[in-house]
Each structure stands twice: as structure tokens, then as C-alpha cells.
Amino acid sequence: MASATVKLIDIAVNFTDGMFKGLYHGKQCHSADIPAVLARAWAAGVDRIIVTGGSLTESREALEIAETDGRLFCTVGVHPTRCGEFDESGDPERHFQALLALAKEGIEKGKVVAVGECGLDYDRLHFCPSDVQKKYFEKQFELAEAVKLPMFLHMRAAGEDFSEILSRNLYRFPGGVTHSFTGTAEERDKLLSFEKMFIGINGCSLKTNENLEVVRGIPAERMMVETDSPYCDIKNTHAGIQFVKSVWPSKKKEKYEPGSTVKGRNEPCLVRQVLEVVAGCKGISDVEGLSKTLYHNTCRLFFPHDLDASADAQLESGSGTSVQNS
């Protein structure tokens, strides 16, 4: 089911979502089960997980969840569809300062590794108009600059404005990942033209043959994998399904069993499937080698101290005459 030789980091898990508390559309179907979900993830070769924050409240909860396990980390930021919360708070600057204080607290605890999820989403303007999204996307670069963290970014149907805002703020943050990428080849190439930008791939990135073609054009050295669970699972109708090798037993939520995944609810162990589809569509037979590259990319951006420590250890032991620059 999963090989111990593959080591993965899932860069996007929405553990604050009700589904991980057993709540589906307001109905309690089973008890909260993050420990069981984590046990499956660790057994599948997942080494670390970044829990996504999408609002001030959610970022607080993400930090609380991250504190429950040494392998969990989180982001602090406001999702484009929820940027209205700055103005709704009655004092946008105070709201920003609260985010900044939370980020600093989380950094001190060794848990907050990125600012986000922030960006632009023009598919869902009914939640937040574009002018408000743009204003507070720009504002969150100030947050990244203040705490010197990379950015965890969201871009949906807004390629032009997103790239424009990004390009004028490049000096303010050390790097970033545009996660859950579903864009065109042109949008991909634009993101790749920003030298410190990575692209995050999940089930939503692998739905159609056109999607797979776009993914083929992302160099492995510029890619990360994620589930964005509980959403974005790889479905049987998706073009990518042909490359999936690892499967887990699943039960409907109404017939929940702790040892099985929930049908229709994505979870971190399934990041293994994303790896398999990326390898398959790119014609890479060395899945373990690909996983090492993706792991290195993720450490480079979110856990640079680990790479420094590992390089130092190699030099001390004399096992590495040359260490890849990060």
C-alpha cells in the first residue's frame, strides 16, 4: 500500500474543516478523528504536514492543532474569499496586527512556516469582491516581510492580477508556493518565471488530460505535492486515476470505521496518489527519486534549517564532498 522508502510532506491540509470533526453539511456522522487520519499518513510515508489557516480564527485553530504533534506545522493568513473579515472587524489595521502577533507567536513555538493562505480567487467573487481581495492580498506581503516567512498562495481565475501584484512585491518575501494549481500552460510559465516560486499539485490539478499536460511542463525541481484535504481527492472520473497505484479501504461516512478512509473525504495519506500521478504523467519510473526532489523543494522553502543541519551533518561525517546548494 505504501513504501517506507518514500518520504513526503503534505503542504496543504485543512484540519480545521468540520469533516475532520465528523461534521458533514452540519450533520454529525462520526466523532473527530484526526489521530486516526494522522496514523494513516505517517504509515504512508508522510513525514510532515502543513495545516492551512484561512482566516484569523482559523489560523489560531491551525496553530492549536499543529501544537499537538511534532510533525505538524501551519500557516497564518487570510484566504481571498474571506478578506472581507478585515473591514468587517471594524478596524482593519488592528485585525492585521492580530495576524502579525499570531504569526510571531507561532514562529516562536516553531510551528508557523508560512504566511497564507492568501491570493486571489475570481471564481468566487460572491464571497468577496475583487477590489477587497486585491487590497488585502497586497497587505499580506507586509505580513510576510515583517516575519520573513515564505508565502502560501492561492490563484484561481485571476492569473493576470495575481502575477502583477506578485511581481511588484517579490522583494518582500523569501519565496512561495502557488498551491492547488489548476491554471493554463501560460499561467504555469508565468509563475515559473518568478525564480523563487514553486507550484503545488493536488487532485484538482490532475482532473483532465489538459491538466496533465500542464503538469508535465512543471520541472520537478519547482513542484510540491499536497492533498488540500478534505477536498481535491483524485476521483475515478479524473484523467490522473490511470496512474494511481496505492489505495486505502474506504467506508461511507454513515458507516464510519476508524481504520478506513471516508469515501469522498480526502486525507493526507492520499498525497501518495498525487506523487504517483505526477510520476506517471511525467513518465518518471523512479518514484522514490521524485519524492526526494519534492521533499527537498519543500524543505528548501518551509524548513531551510533542516537542509542546513543535514548539510552540516554530511560535511562532519565526510559523506558528502559536495552538497547541493539550496
Side-chain angles (χ1 to χ4, degrees), residues 5-319:
T5 56
V6 166
K7 204 161 70 158
L8 292 161
I9 299 174
D10 188 346
I11 64 161
V13 177
N14 298 282
F15 270 147
T16 60
D17 189 275
M19 282 190 244
F20 289 115
K21 300 178 182 91
L23 274 170
Y24 299 79
H25 308 294
K27 187 184 171 200
Q28 190 79 45
C29 294
H30 57 83
S31 57
D33 67 338
I34 287 179
V37 168
L38 287 177
R40 275 191 292 277
W42 311 141
V46 176
D47 182 71
R48 286 174 243 200
I49 288 168
I50 300 176
V51 183
T52 313
S55 67
L56 177 57
T57 305
E58 203 175 85
S59 297
R60 272 200 197 104
E61 193 186 342
L63 178 55
E64 282 167 19
I65 293 168
E67 287 183 82
T68 63
D69 192 296
R71 296 159 287 188
L72 296 179
F73 301 86
C74 66
T75 71
V76 167
V78 181
H79 190 280
T81 59
R82 284 178 260 175
C83 276
E85 72 173 44
F86 283 94
D87 293 334
E88 285 155 21
S89 73
D91 188 340
E93 188 51 38
R94 193 177 64 191
H95 199 73
F96 174 81
Q97 291 301 327
L99 277 169
L100 177 59
L102 181 64
K104 284 178 173 173
E105 178 195 335
I107 290 165
E108 215 168 279
K109 290 173 170 174
K111 288 295 177 183
V112 172
V113 295
V115 166
E117 176 176 359
C118 56
L120 299 176
D121 189 325
Y122 291 178
D123 264 350
R124 291 180 279 181
L125 292 171
H126 50 288
F127 289 123
C128 185
S130 60
D131 57 328
V132 176
Q133 287 192 30
K134 284 193 282 193
K135 179 178 179 183
Y136 292 111
F137 177 29
E138 194 115 30
K139 181 74 175 167
Q140 289 181 82
F141 285 97
E142 200 179 306
L143 182 57
E145 187 174 27
V147 293
K148 299 179 173 58
L149 281 184
M151 298 193 77
F152 182 78
L153 299 163
H154 175 105
M155 180 186 88
R156 190 76 76 239
E160 208 173 307
D161 286 354
F162 179 91
S163 294
E164 188 194 319
I165 291 172
L166 194 63
S167 57
R168 68 168 172 261
N169 287 284
L170 280 175
Y171 69 95
R172 306 180 85 173
F173 66 106
V177 59
T178 302
H179 99 108
S180 194
F181 182 73
T182 57
T184 62
E186 290 72 30
E187 287 170 333
R188 171 201 68 201
D189 294 344
K190 182 67 179 169
L191 289 176
L192 292 172
S193 75
F194 300 117
E195 94 189 40
K196 49 191 184 178
M197 182 58 62
F198 293 85
I199 297 178
I201 300 300
N202 61 34
C204 290
S205 318
L206 307 165
K207 284 182 179 179
T208 66
N209 287 318
E210 190 186 1
N211 289 151
L212 296 183
E213 196 53 50
V214 171
V215 168
R216 274 186 203 106
I218 304 171
E221 296 71 25
R222 301 290 296 278
M223 189 189 288
M224 295 182 193
V225 285
E226 55 173 274
T227 55
D228 205 21
S229 48
Y231 326 110
C232 294
D233 52 328
I234 299 171
K235 300 188 190 303
N236 288 333
T237 51
H238 291 180
I241 196 73
Q242 61 184 303
F243 300 114
V244 168
K245 293 182 175 71
S246 304
V247 289
W248 279 258
S250 68
K251 297 272 181 191
K252 289 183 174 171
K253 56 186 182 293
E254 295 80 9
K255 297 187 174 174
Y256 176 82
E257 282 180 16
S260 296
T261 64
V262 177
K263 227 182 232 334
R265 181 187 74 171
N266 200 6
E267 59 171 81
C269 67
L270 299 172
V271 74
R272 176 64 188 252
Q273 296 183 339
V274 179
L275 172 71
E276 289 165 356
V277 177
V278 168
C281 87
K282 285 173 89 60
I284 296 170
S285 55
D286 181 8
V287 178
E288 189 187 335
L290 175 62
S291 78
K292 281 181 178 162
T293 300
L294 301 176
Y295 190 88
H296 180 84
N297 297 345
T298 311
C299 287
R300 224 175 115 185
L301 188 65
F302 296 120
F303 307 103
H305 303 307
D306 288 15
L307 289 183
D308 294 343
S310 125
D312 290 346
Q314 275 188 313
L315 287 169
E316 279 168 29
S317 68
S319 65

